[in-house]
């Protein structure tokens, strides 16, 4: 991360997941990274997108005298113990939609609210892991209603927040970032072990993309290879 001040401080939300843990590990080994803090439901402090207070409290505790040059939200939900992505309109279920939006949209929205003020003034990047299937313009297969819609909504939140943040924090970059297919718990039911890349490789790609972004790129939707994706 040559574009960040040295030393820099990093924060990873969703650090108990495959991609989040890889971010913590790789950043921890990155020259110039003074510290990387990983947050999840059982961390200190804990953060749980089902508990609005926990998001605000985590930001309050971690923001006491410290600012961050890189914040990554790697938390997300595609399937659960009781449901899989919907293939048809007939599969739509309120509880599933609510759980998916809570993890992929509502929780990240609260992260934007409470953690944007923790971004460092000289240069800082906040990345929200999104998904290419959240692109409305690229949707050619249909299905996966809740996941697609929740990621599309996340993209809008990032875009809108970037416009506001640019007015007061001109050196900050907010971006929605597509990691590609990664061999993880999220992708395992969909041949992730066969077609997915290793998490360390995916994170290395994404860090290279983030390192190259400028404030003019804030509010964009990027792939792990740096390409700008259609909304």
């Amino acid at each position: 991360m040559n574009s960040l001040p040295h030393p820099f401080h990093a924060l990873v939300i969703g650090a108990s997941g495959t991609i989040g843990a890889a971010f913590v590990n790789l950043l921890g080994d990155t020259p110039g990274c003074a510290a990387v803090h990983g947050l999840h439901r059982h961390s200190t402090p804990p953060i749980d997108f089902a508990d609005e207070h926990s998001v605000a409290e985590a930001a309050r505790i971690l923001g006491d005298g410290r600012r961050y040059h890189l914040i990554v939200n790697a938390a997300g939900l595609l399937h659960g113990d009781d449901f899989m992505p919907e293939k048809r309109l007939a599969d739509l279920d309120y509880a599933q939609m609510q759980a998916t939006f809570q993890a992929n949209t509502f929780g990240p929205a609260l992260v934007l609210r409470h953690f944007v003020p923790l971004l460092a003034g000289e240069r800082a990047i906040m990345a929200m892991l999104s998904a290419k299937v959240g692109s409305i313009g690229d949707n050619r297969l249909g299905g996966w209603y809740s996941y697609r819609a929740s990621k599309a909504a996340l993209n809008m939140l990032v875009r809108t927040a970037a416009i506001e943040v640019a007015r007061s924090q001109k050196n900050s970059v907010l971006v929605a970032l597509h990691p590609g297919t990664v061999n993880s718990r999220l992708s395992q039911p969909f041949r992730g072990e066969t077609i997915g890349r290793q998490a360390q490789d995916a994170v290395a790609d994404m860090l290279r993309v983030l390192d190259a972004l400028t404030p003019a790129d804030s509010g964009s939707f990027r792939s792990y290879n740096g390409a700008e994706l259609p909304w």
Side-chain angles (χ1 to χ4, degrees), residues 12-15 17-21 23 49 72-77 127-129 151 186:
V12 178
I13 298 168
T18 302
I19 297 178
F23 265 110
F49 287 173
V72 177
N73 174 51
L77 176 68
M128 293 282 176
L129 292 203
K151 291 297 188 178
L186 183 144

Side-chain angles (χ1 to χ4, degrees), residues 58-77:
R60 185 191 67 79
I61 293 171
L62 294 181
D64 186 14
R66 174 169 291 178
R67 292 295 177 266
Y68 294 89
H69 302 92
L70 176 64
I71 298 178
V72 177
N73 174 51
L77 176 68

Side-chain angles (χ1 to χ4, degrees), residues 113-129:
R113 174 186 174 183
H114 294 290
F115 283 87
V116 160
L118 273 57
L119 292 173
E122 60 268 40
R123 169 167 168 79
I125 303 167
M126 176 178 280
M128 293 282 176
L129 292 203

